[in-house]
Amino acid sequence: MVALPWTLFVTFHGYGFCYENLSRRPTTVLTQSSTYNAQTASIANDGDVQTDELHCSHTAHNHTKAWLQVDFGQPYMINNVIIYYRREGDESSSWKQYRFRQFYLDASNNSAIQTTTSQRTRCYTDNTTAPDLPPNIIDIPCKQTARYVIVETTYDAPEDDYIDEHGAILEICEIKVYGCGKTNGICIKGCTPGQYGDTCDETCSHGCAGGTCDQQKGTCSAGCKQNWTGRLCDVCDAKHYGPACSMECNINCLNNTCNDVTGSCKDGCAFGKFGDFCNETCDEHCVSYWHEDTEKYKKLKESNLETLFILYGMIAALCVSLIVNGCMIKWNLRRDQYKGQDVNQKTMNKNFPLQDSISPKDIYDTVGDDKKYEDLGHLSGSSHYDQLELIKSS
């Protein structure tokens, strides 16, 4: 079981106040109505919150009333009370908080011996009845200004009967009374120097100058110490490392920067050096100014390969695009050429309608007729064949 801190941060009318455990003040005294087996009231104020019998105060048997009292020596402004009551375990055979039923908590400026319950201010009354059990750890609001806090009971638990123990009995293992330590009733605002957070249980960074910080955010009020940086001054600057940021990065680290915890070089090594700390000298296995075995070189090599693959892919895509575009251009040019030839042919046929004026039959007939004149060695006028050749040559 984890003990709660001795200070408690609460909000009151919009302001933060750090309440301390008044039970632990040097002037606070705990007493109880009776004592069983040397288990005195002081055991309930030793800072140990274990709840087995040996770590609890214990009043004696056979009394009609039992009480435990916290005396601060003078009135204080109380905020809340936390009680840890005896509970041995969760098994059915384990002893539990049977005797804690129907207890009540009072605040008073007079002791339990000098007062009755009607003369005190009641903060809480438990109404649990058997076989039910109250919680064995309970946090009770008690916003009173008083010198005494009193836990009291008149309840006789029926579970005692089989061991022949009777009467009202208290077994309080620890009691914490949180309140303001100011005797004039005015609370101290904020946490103690060096602490921050909602419950003032966070410690300002070692890097805060003066050891103080904003009590809500933890930012360093006076800035960072030398060699420290960050919003909370909780990390070393780029050139230092170690738990106190007092060690300098190796001069062979590129940019003089290194890991703020280990001191290893983050950006690689200077020419001729290698290793996590760049403290080793390269030999014939070095490539450029990074050694092949260094993590930085491996990352660079992988990065270059990846870039090279991307570049090759882009070049291949460009080549394919050029080939496709070239084929398209060539095809378009040929198509335009064929279209021009068709137009010329149509124009020629229009101007010289060969098929209408000279038919193949006429040619053959003419040839036959001309043959009759071959013997005479003379043809009257040009033949159809000559006309056809003239058309072709034009």
Side-chain angles (χ1 to χ4, degrees):
M1 188 177 297
V2 180
L4 295 177
W6 289 7
T7 56
L8 181 68
F9 189 91
V10 298
T11 301
F12 182 73
H13 293 303
Y15 294 93
F17 300 106
C18 187
Y19 290 116
E20 64 174 296
N21 182 2
L22 299 174
S23 302
R24 300 292 289 166
R25 291 179 69 85
T27 56
T28 299
V29 177
L30 270 67
T31 55
Q32 59 188 14
S33 55
S34 61
T35 299
Y36 171 77
N37 198 25
Q39 292 173 252
T40 62
S42 61
I43 297 176
N45 191 32
D46 59 1
D48 192 336
V49 296
Q50 297 182 72
T51 59
D52 58 282
E53 182 180 11
L54 295 179
H55 293 89
C56 304
S57 63
H58 200 310
T59 60
H61 309 148
N62 302 317
H63 291 274
T64 58
K65 182 186 295 183
W67 51 260
L68 182 140
Q69 172 180 275
V70 182
D71 179 5
F72 307 121
Q74 59 188 26
Y76 287 106
M77 182 183 290
I78 301 166
N79 182 69
N80 63 301
V81 179
I82 302 175
I83 301 173
Y84 297 78
Y85 202 85
R86 178 185 174 190
R87 182 183 176 92
E88 298 290 339
D90 297 329
E91 298 179 1
S92 58
S93 59
S94 301
W95 185 259
K96 298 180 179 60
Q97 60 274 25
Y98 308 116
R99 295 163 175 166
F100 202 33
R101 298 185 188 109
Q102 300 183 26
F103 79 94
Y104 43 93
L105 177 70
D106 294 337
S108 175
N109 283 321
N110 294 295
S111 68
I113 297 175
Q114 298 172 327
T115 60
T116 61
T117 56
S118 61
Q119 297 172 307
R120 311 170 193 160
T121 301
R122 180 63 50 88
C123 291
Y124 180 80
T125 300
D126 180 76
N127 296 312
T128 306
T129 58
D132 296 331
L133 294 172
N136 75 307
I137 302 174
I138 186 169
D139 187 346
I140 304 169
C142 186
K143 298 183 182 298
Q144 302 293 330
T145 299
R147 173 178 171 175
Y148 299 93
V149 169
I150 302 167
V151 182
E152 191 171 85
T153 185
T154 58
Y155 179 74
D156 184 0
E159 288 82 2
D160 288 340
D161 295 343
Y162 82 98
I163 55 175
D164 198 26
E165 293 181 357
H166 305 283
I169 299 172
L170 282 176
E171 302 163 293
I172 297 177
C173 307
E174 191 77 13
I175 183 168
K176 299 180 179 182
V177 182
Y178 286 99
C180 178
K182 284 286 187 179
T183 58
N184 59 5
I186 301 175
C187 282
I188 303 171
K189 181 179 180 181
C191 306
T192 55
Q195 301 295 125
Y196 76 97
D198 290 341
T199 57
C200 295
D201 58 348
E202 299 286 341
T203 302
C204 299
S205 168
H206 294 299
C208 288
T212 61
C213 62
D214 183 278
Q215 296 185 356
Q216 290 295 316
K217 300 178 182 178
T219 53
C220 299
S221 307
C224 301
K225 292 180 182 177
Q226 186 177 2
N227 305 339
W228 290 83
T229 188
R231 188 179 68 86
L232 302 179
C233 300
D234 53 352
V235 295
C236 304
D237 63 25
K239 298 183 179 182
H240 294 84
Y241 72 99
C245 296
S246 58
M247 294 182 281
E248 293 186 3
C249 302
N250 193 301
I251 59 173
N252 294 316
C253 292
L254 283 184
N255 304 319
N256 291 333
T257 61
C258 63
N259 183 283
D260 67 334
V261 177
T262 65
S264 60
C265 300
K266 296 189 295 184
D267 297 331
C269 303
F271 180 83
K273 296 293 181 179
F274 76 99
D276 291 338
F277 300 93
C278 298
N279 56 350
E280 299 184 57
T281 302
C282 295
D283 54 22
E284 66 274 12
H285 299 295
C286 289
V287 176
S288 184
Y289 57 87
W290 277 307
H291 192 274
E292 291 182 355
D293 294 333
T294 61
E295 189 67 24
K296 185 70 177 180
Y297 172 78
K298 292 176 182 177
K299 291 181 178 179
L300 179 65
K301 186 175 180 181
E302 292 173 359
S303 176
N304 287 343
L305 286 174
E306 183 178 353
T307 303
L308 195 60
F309 288 146
I310 294 173
L311 181 60
Y312 284 161
M314 293 176 65
I315 292 173
L318 181 60
C319 290
V320 171
S321 177
L322 289 173
I323 292 172
V324 172
N325 288 333
C327 292
M328 291 295 295
I329 292 172
K330 186 174 182 180
W331 182 83
N332 287 332
L333 289 174
R334 287 186 176 180
R335 185 185 63 177
D336 293 342
Q337 182 180 0
Y338 292 149
K339 284 184 177 179
Q341 291 178 356
D342 290 344
V343 170
N344 291 335
Q345 185 64 41
K346 289 179 180 179
T347 302
M348 181 180 67
N349 292 340
K350 182 177 180 181
N351 294 331
F352 303 97
L354 178 62
Q355 66 276 18
D356 295 334
S357 60
I358 302 175
S359 67
K361 184 178 181 299
D362 293 335
I363 293 174
Y364 293 137
D365 290 343
T366 302
V367 171
D369 293 338
D370 290 342
K371 190 169 182 61
K372 294 176 182 181
Y373 298 98
E374 284 182 357
D375 294 337
L376 297 177
H378 174 75
L379 291 174
S380 61
S382 61
S383 68
H384 292 299
Y385 179 81
D386 293 335
Q387 293 180 15
L388 181 60
E389 287 295 322
L390 179 63
I391 293 171
K392 287 183 177 181
S393 62
S394 63

